[in-house]
C-alpha cells in the first residue's frame, strides 16, 4: 500500500485561509489586467503544440524539459512526447492508456499517470507517476526500458546523474535507482512528514556530489549523492502557528545554486541564502512563497503567496523592487529570459517584467487555462505549459 499524506491545492488553501474574504466566495479576486497596457518589448510566439490532457485537475505542476534541441513533455493521462524545440514538430509520442504500457494491467487502466515532468540524460528519459511508479524510457523513441514501484506519488521531476535516477516521493522519501535497470541503490527516509501540506514538491538539485531539496516541513536538506547520508539541514520556516493551516511551511520550490550559495524559500517562512558546503545561513528575509525562485545578475526573483513579484539583492537580501500588478493572479515561479522576468498566471496569460525595476513589459495569452509550472528558459526562448497540456514557445525582440 502506498503511504499517503493529506495534500491541499492552492485553490483549497485560498478557500481555507482567506481571512479577508471577497464577498461570499471567501477568496481574493485576481487583479484585473490593464486594458490600456502598451508593451515595451515585442513577443513572438514560435510555435504551440500539446501533450495529452496535461496536469488536468491533479494539482501537479507539469514542466517540460529541453535537452539537445528536443523538448520532452508528459501528462497525467498517460501521454509522453518529444518535440523539436525550435519548430514544435512532434518527433514521437507514446500513450500508456491502452493494454498496459509494459504489457500488464487492464485495458481501461491508465498505468502511467505521469507527473512532475520528465528528466533526460543521454538516451535515458526518467519520469514518475501519481500512482507511485518510476519509468525508465529510451529518449530517442519512447520505448520502455524498466519500471519501479515506490511508496508514494512522484510529483517532482527526477534527476538523472552519475548513473543514478533520483526521485522524491510525497511521503518524505528520496530514492536513488540504478539508471541501467532501476534497481534500488539507496533510500533516504525523512521519518515523519506533516499531516497537512501543500500539493507539490520542488525539483531536486545535484551539484558536486551533493543532493539538495526543500522538504514539506520547511527545511533545506543536503544528502550525499553516493549513499544518501544526510550532510546537513537548515530551517527555512519555523512551522509554528495556532492551526494546521498556520503551520503549513512547505518548501515546494526548486533550490537554486549560484556559485557556492544556495537560495531557497518556504511558505510561511523565509527567503534564505545558505553556504552550500557547510549549510551555514548567510542571510534571511521574511518571504512566504510556495513557488520556485530565479537568479540573474545581482538579484533573486520570486513571487510571494499573494502573487506579488519581488526582486532581492542576492548578496544581502535587501529589497530591490516589487510589483503587485499581478496580485492574486496566482502566478508561477519566475524564470529569467534575457533582461526580463517571465511568469504565467491562472488565466493562461504569460507576463514579462523588466529585471531592473519590475515594470511590466509584455504579455501574451497561451490559452484560457491556468499555468502552474515555472516557465522554462533555454537560450533566448521560453517554454510555457498550461494545465491542459498546451505548450508555447516565445522569443523576445525589440519593438
Amino acid at each position: 500500500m502506498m503511504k499517503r499524506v493529506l495534500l491541499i491545492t492552492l485553490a483549497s488553501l485560498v478557500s481555507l485561509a482567506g481571512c479577508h474574504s471577497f464577498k461570499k466566495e471567501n477568496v481574493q479576486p485576481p487583479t484585473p489586467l490593464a486594458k490600456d497596457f502598451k508593451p515595451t518589448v515585442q513577443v513572438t510566439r514560435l510555435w504551440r503544440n500539446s501533450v495529452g490532457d496535461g496536469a488536468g485537475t491533479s494539482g501537479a505542476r507539469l514542466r517540460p524539459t529541453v535537452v539537445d534541441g528536443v523538448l520532452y513533455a508528459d501528462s497525467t493521462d498517460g501521454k509522453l512526447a518529444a518535440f523539436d524545440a525550435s519548430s514544435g514538430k512532434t518527433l514521437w509520442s507514446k500513450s500508456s492508456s491502452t493494454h498496459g504500457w509494459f504489457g500488464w494491467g487492464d485495458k481501461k487502466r491508465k498505468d502511467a499517470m505521469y507527473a512532475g515532468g520528465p528528466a533526460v540524460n543521454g538516451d535515458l528519459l526518467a519520469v514518475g507517476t501519481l500512482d507511485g511508479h518510476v519509468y525508465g524510457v529510451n529518449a530517442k523513441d519512447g520505448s520502455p526500458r524498466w519500471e519501479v514501484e515506490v511508496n508514494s506519488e512522484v510529483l517532482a521531476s527526477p534527476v538523472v546523474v552519475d548513473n543514478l535516477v533520483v526521485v522524491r516521493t510525497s511521503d518524505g522519501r528520496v530514492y536513488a535507482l540504478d539508471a541501467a535497470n532501476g534497481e534500488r541503490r539507496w533510500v533516504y527516509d525523512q521519518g515523519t512528514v506533516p499531516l497537512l501540506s501543500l500539493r507539490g514538491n520542488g525539483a531536486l538539485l545535484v551539484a558536486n556530489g551533493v543532493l539538495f531539496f526543500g522538504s514539506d516541513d520547511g527545511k533545506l536538506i543536503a544528502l550525499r549523492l553516493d549513499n544518501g547520508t544526510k550532510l546537513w539541514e537548515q530551517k527555512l520556516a519555523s512551522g509554528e502557528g495556532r492551526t494546521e493551516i498556520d503551520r503549513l511551511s512547505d518548501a515546494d520550490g526548486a533550490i537554486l545554486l549560484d556559485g557556492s550559495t544556495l537560495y531557497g524559500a518556504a511558505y510561511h517562512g523565509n527567503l534564505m541564502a545558505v553556504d552550500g558546503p557547510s549549510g551555514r545561513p548567510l542571510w534571511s528575509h521574511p518571504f512566504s512563497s510556495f513557488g520556485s525562485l530565479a537568479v540573474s545578475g545581482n538579484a533573486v526573483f520570486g513571487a510571494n503567496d499573494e502573487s506579488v513579484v519581488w526582486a532581492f539583492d542576492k548578496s544581502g537580501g535587501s529589497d530591490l523592487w516589487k510589483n503587485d500588478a499581478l496580485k492574486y493572479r496566482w502566478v508561477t515561479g519566475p524564470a529569467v529570459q534575457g533582461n526580463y522576468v517571465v511568469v504565467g498566471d491562472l488565466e493562461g496569460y504569460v507576463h514579462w517584467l523588466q529585471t531592473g525595476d519590475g515594470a511590466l513589459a509584455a504579455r501574451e495569452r497561451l490559452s484560457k487555462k491556468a499555468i502552474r509550472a515555472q516557465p522554462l528558459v533555454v537560450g533566448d526562448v521560453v517554454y510555457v505549459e498550461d494545465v491542459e497540456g498546451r505548450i508555447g514557445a516565445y522569443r523576445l525582440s525589440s519593438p
Side-chain angles (χ1 to χ4, degrees):
M1 294 288 290
M2 291 199 323
K3 180 179 177 182
R4 297 184 183 276
V5 292
L6 181 59
L7 301 164
I8 61 176
T9 63
L10 172 59
S12 302
L13 177 64
V14 172
S15 297
L16 288 168
C19 298
H20 307 289
S21 62
F22 170 62
K23 295 184 179 179
K24 295 182 180 180
E25 289 87 356
N26 201 34
V27 295
Q28 294 284 4
T31 301
L33 298 178
K35 294 181 179 180
D36 59 350
F37 172 71
K38 295 181 179 179
T40 57
V41 64
Q42 181 177 329
V43 177
T44 301
R45 190 174 75 189
L46 302 178
W47 56 264
R48 192 175 81 160
N49 208 326
S50 63
V51 54
D53 293 335
T57 59
S58 68
R61 293 177 287 188
L62 295 183
R63 189 185 192 216
T65 190
V66 173
V67 177
D68 295 332
V70 179
L71 182 143
Y72 301 89
D74 57 12
S75 67
T76 56
D77 63 330
K79 304 297 189 300
L80 187 63
F83 306 90
D84 184 284
S86 59
S87 68
K89 178 183 176 181
T90 302
L91 301 178
W92 56 258
S93 180
K94 298 290 183 179
S95 173
S96 66
S97 60
T98 304
H99 300 295
W101 196 43
F102 279 78
W104 54 271
D106 183 81
K107 287 184 179 181
K108 297 181 180 179
R109 181 178 176 184
K110 296 177 180 178
D111 293 311
M113 297 181 287
Y114 302 120
V120 176
N121 190 338
D123 63 354
L124 176 65
L125 182 153
V127 62
T129 73
L130 296 176
D131 61 353
H133 288 81
V134 182
Y135 293 121
V137 176
N138 189 323
K140 304 301 181 183
D141 58 12
S143 58
R145 289 187 174 177
W146 49 259
E147 171 260 332
V148 173
E149 186 173 2
V150 290
N151 275 38
S152 186
E153 60 184 358
V154 181
L155 290 171
S157 298
V159 171
V160 184
V161 61
D162 291 352
N163 298 315
L164 293 176
V165 174
V166 187
V167 298
R168 62 180 301 187
T169 54
S170 294
D171 61 355
R173 291 181 171 93
V174 178
Y175 296 81
L177 310 173
D178 190 296
N181 55 24
E183 182 179 342
R184 188 177 300 180
R185 298 274 288 273
W186 57 257
V187 179
Y188 167 80
D189 189 350
Q190 190 176 331
T192 59
V193 294
L195 176 64
L196 188 68
S197 66
L198 297 179
R199 186 161 181 76
N201 290 137
L204 300 164
L205 169 69
V206 173
N208 301 316
V210 181
L211 176 73
F212 303 97
F213 64 97
S215 70
D216 284 342
D217 57 356
K219 296 175 183 175
L220 195 170
I221 297 173
L223 308 178
R224 282 184 53 160
L225 181 62
D226 59 352
N227 60 18
T229 301
K230 184 165 69 174
L231 298 173
W232 54 259
E233 65 179 43
Q234 184 60 244
K235 277 191 173 184
L236 301 176
S238 66
E240 299 175 353
R242 298 180 62 181
T243 69
E244 290 290 341
I245 296 295
D246 293 335
R247 289 192 287 273
L248 286 169
S249 57
D250 302 56
D252 276 351
I255 303 301
L256 294 181
L257 178 65
D258 185 65
S260 62
T261 302
L262 299 163
Y263 299 92
Y267 186 62
H268 290 158
N270 301 287
L271 167 64
M272 185 177 289
V274 176
D275 178 68
S278 68
R280 177 176 57 89
L282 302 176
W283 56 258
S284 180
H285 191 295
F287 186 68
S288 177
S289 176
F290 38 75
S292 293
L293 306 169
V295 62
S296 180
N298 68 333
V300 179
F301 305 96
N304 71 6
D305 58 7
E306 294 183 332
S307 277
V308 177
V309 183
W310 288 76
F312 302 93
D313 176 66
K314 75 176 186 182
S315 61
S318 60
D319 303 349
L320 297 177
W321 54 256
K322 71 172 182 177
N323 188 321
D324 60 5
L326 305 176
K327 193 173 184 179
Y328 303 126
R329 297 192 65 84
W330 308 119
V331 299
T332 66
V336 177
Q337 184 181 18
N339 295 321
Y340 299 89
V341 174
V342 55
V343 296
D345 75 11
L346 83 169
E347 294 179 336
Y349 286 98
V350 186
H351 306 270
W352 284 263
L353 299 80
Q354 295 179 170
T355 55
D357 59 9
L360 286 168
R363 73 169 177 243
E364 290 288 323
R365 197 169 197 179
L366 172 64
S367 69
K368 294 184 179 181
K369 299 298 180 178
I371 301 168
R372 292 200 184 103
Q374 182 185 28
L376 172 69
V377 175
V378 180
D380 62 350
V381 177
V382 62
Y383 302 91
V384 185
E385 180 174 351
D386 74 7
V387 296
E388 291 193 346
R390 299 180 189 90
I391 303 170
Y394 301 91
R395 179 179 286 132
L396 301 180
S397 59
S398 301

